[in-house]
Amino acid sequence: MKLYIDPSTGSMMFSLAVGLFSVIWFGARKLYMKLKYLAPGNTKKDAKAIPFVIFSDNKRYWKNFEPVVRELDKRGVDMVYLTASEDDPALSAPYMHLRGQFIGTGNKPFAKMNLLNATLVLATTPGLDVYQWKRSKDVKWYVHMQHGANEMTTYRMFGMDYYDGLLVSGQYQIDDTRALEKLRNIGPKEMVLVGIPYMDDIVNRLKKSPAPAHETTVLVAPSWGESTILRKFGGRIIEVLLATGYHIIIRPHPQSYITEMDMLEPILKAYPASDQLEWNTDLDNFDVMNRSDILISDFSGTIYEFALAFDKPVICMDTKFDDSPYDAWWLDTPRWSTTAIPRLGQILTEENMENLKTMIDECLNDEKYRELRREVSAETWVYPGEGAVRVADYLEGKYHELTGESLRREDN
């Protein structure tokens, strides 16, 4: 009799096995680095802790951090910004109190972060103390700020478990996290509702740069991985969209150009850019979203930016999302996005693909979607317009709580 393991359980077991191996490997590597660092002739200096560090594992998260940096800079708070991107915009940003530093690619940034001496660290990177990024014994407090407007349970398993504090934008995120803490028997994290600073920035930019005159434009902006639009539909969806007569913009996820060229390159060759079809790779997605009327996506966080900040309809693919590698697998309650996305527009399947033009037209013209977008926004975007101020208030307050001192320079 053969032992049968269903695909979902098998995927979960594989993820756990990979996680265990990674913990052992990076734990051994960290021990080696410490022993090497403390060897005779290489003694550790009694360095003073950096008061406040921002860590970014990719330049695309500058949009998340900049509103907070701007607010802290106005307050005279010095910031050390450590980035894993050599061309991160933060490195040339014109803020007096920001000191940017490129700390390498691959495993190098994490090796440096593992030995960091700092009081307070702000990051959007999940998986602290799970894979290669380990908590440094010389850091007092790690706080996570979201880089999207949806649930936090679609991070890989244990993605938030070892942070000290989480800055969130909706009560359901707190509820999900508390449920995971109870299931895993881990202590409660400090969780504070602050809003979404980068989406506040989008709204402010829109006031200064309203959408230019343009023909009806459809933006296709998928996530990356196995359960995404381009993986599932390939060139078929492009054929159907071109038949609508609308202007089509396709914006693959940046990660697809790194790890999915086997899938992407044949599509790029089969459907080159033309007057009707545009491929977009801008680092900043504001302009392309501003001149688009409707978004087609899967489970990308772009959905919420487009629907809530730009106040435009979306069509989302029915991805049959496999949650087995993610924190969502642990919970009996449905993911918040499964209730939110159907209210933002329509759901695309293989069966209704040929009716895509009709779906687009209905989403553009039916006012009910506008009201439903407001409903979704209220659930996942608290304190609109106040995000950066609330994050800055939290960081200053936490630093004072930890040290009894102020983050602001005395000469400001």
Side-chain angles (χ1 to χ4, degrees):
M1 180 178 178
K2 294 183 178 180
L3 177 65
Y4 172 73
I5 300 177
D6 66 87
S8 179
T9 302
S11 177
M12 182 198 69
M13 292 175 65
F14 177 76
S15 297
L16 290 173
V18 170
L20 179 60
F21 175 79
S22 299
V23 168
I24 295 172
W25 168 256
F26 288 110
R29 185 179 178 86
K30 182 180 180 182
L31 177 61
Y32 167 76
M33 292 296 292
K34 283 186 174 181
L35 291 174
K36 180 179 178 181
Y37 196 69
L38 297 174
N42 195 15
T43 56
K44 187 176 181 179
K45 295 180 180 179
D46 185 20
K48 185 178 179 181
I50 303 170
F52 175 50
V53 169
I54 299 173
F55 171 56
S56 177
D57 64 88
N58 191 286
K59 63 183 179 182
R60 63 178 176 265
Y61 299 122
W62 173 239
K63 73 173 185 179
N64 301 86
F65 288 119
E66 186 178 17
V68 177
V69 167
R70 188 188 310 123
E71 177 63 27
L72 289 170
D73 188 69
K74 286 193 301 184
R75 301 183 185 197
V77 172
D78 287 339
M79 297 157 276
V80 174
Y81 193 102
L82 304 180
T83 175
S85 294
E86 192 169 10
D87 56 347
D88 195 312
L91 298 175
S92 57
Y95 296 108
M96 181 183 301
H97 298 280
L98 180 69
R99 179 164 65 88
Q101 182 182 351
F102 169 59
I103 56 173
T105 58
N107 289 327
K108 290 181 180 178
F110 299 106
K112 293 182 179 181
M113 293 299 296
N114 294 349
L115 299 175
L116 182 69
N117 185 6
T119 301
L120 183 60
V121 174
L122 174 69
T124 65
T125 308
L128 174 65
D129 225 26
V130 179
Y131 294 113
Q132 66 266 48
W133 185 20
K134 302 301 180 185
R135 289 181 63 103
S136 169
K137 66 180 180 62
D138 295 316
V139 171
K140 288 188 176 181
W141 194 265
Y142 289 92
V143 59
H144 180 274
M145 182 175 70
Q146 290 175 267
H147 58 247
N150 54 338
E151 65 265 273
M152 306 177 80
T153 56
T154 51
Y155 286 132
R156 295 277 173 172
M157 284 189 188
F158 319 113
M160 294 292 103
D161 280 12
Y162 303 107
Y163 272 97
D164 301 299
L166 305 180
L167 303 180
V168 298
S169 65
Q171 181 60 42
Y172 71 94
Q173 297 156 351
I174 296 177
D175 295 341
D176 285 347
T177 302
R178 295 293 181 234
L180 287 171
E181 290 171 341
K182 185 175 181 180
L183 284 167
R184 294 170 180 167
N185 195 29
I186 56 177
K189 285 172 282 299
E190 185 170 271
M191 301 188 71
V192 181
L193 286 162
V194 294
I196 311 174
Y198 83 94
M199 284 186 30
D200 294 338
D201 252 21
I202 292 174
V203 173
N204 290 333
R205 289 178 70 180
L206 281 170
K207 293 176 182 177
K208 300 175 183 177
S209 304
H214 60 279
E215 60 184 306
T216 300
T217 299
V218 180
L219 172 63
V220 181
S223 187
W224 66 281
E226 293 300 318
S227 302
T228 59
I229 287 177
L230 293 180
R231 278 281 186 195
K232 186 169 183 178
F233 296 137
R236 181 186 170 199
I237 191 170
I238 300 177
E239 294 280 0
V240 173
L241 286 170
L242 290 174
T244 66
Y246 296 144
H247 186 70
I248 310 301
I249 303 174
I250 304 178
R251 180 184 169 83
H253 192 282
Q255 188 66 28
S256 294
Y257 288 98
I258 299 172
T259 60
E260 297 187 308
M261 284 305 292
D262 62 321
M263 172 275 295
L264 188 57
E265 191 169 22
I267 299 175
L268 289 166
K269 288 181 178 179
Y271 300 94
S274 65
D275 290 342
Q276 187 186 3
L277 177 63
E278 177 182 344
W279 292 89
N280 181 271
T281 57
D282 296 345
L283 177 62
D284 183 352
N285 63 7
F286 178 85
D287 288 335
V288 71
M289 296 175 81
N290 197 22
R291 59 189 174 91
S292 298
D293 299 291
I294 189 168
L295 170 70
I296 299 178
S297 190
D298 34 55
F299 51 86
S300 170
T302 303
I303 293 167
Y304 303 101
E305 295 176 34
F306 194 85
L308 307 183
F310 286 88
D311 194 20
K312 297 176 182 179
V314 300
I315 293 176
C316 292
M317 184 185 78
D318 183 7
T319 60
K320 302 292 190 298
F321 186 76
D322 177 15
D323 65 7
S324 58
Y326 305 98
D327 274 331
W329 179 88
W330 292 73
L331 301 180
D332 294 329
T333 53
R335 287 183 292 112
W336 174 80
S337 59
T338 63
T339 67
I341 288 175
R343 289 179 282 167
L344 300 177
Q346 298 196 29
I347 304 299
L348 177 66
T349 66
E350 291 189 18
E351 290 72 28
N352 65 16
M353 172 81 72
E354 299 305 321
N355 297 324
L356 188 51
K357 184 178 188 303
T358 300
M359 296 167 64
I360 290 170
D361 293 342
E362 288 178 357
C363 287
L364 289 174
N365 297 309
D366 194 333
E367 282 297 313
K368 74 178 182 181
Y369 293 114
R370 187 179 299 275
E371 291 303 317
L372 289 169
R373 288 197 294 274
R374 293 194 181 102
E375 182 179 284
V376 171
S377 183
E379 295 171 5
T380 197
W381 188 4
V382 298
Y383 308 124
E386 302 177 24
V389 170
R390 287 178 176 272
V391 172
D393 286 348
Y394 171 83
L395 294 169
E396 286 202 87
K398 178 54 62 178
Y399 184 80
H400 183 266
E401 178 186 320
L402 293 170
T403 66
E405 300 175 355
S406 172
L407 259 181
R408 305 190 191 197
R409 281 174 41 170
E410 293 180 1
D411 57 350
N412 284 284

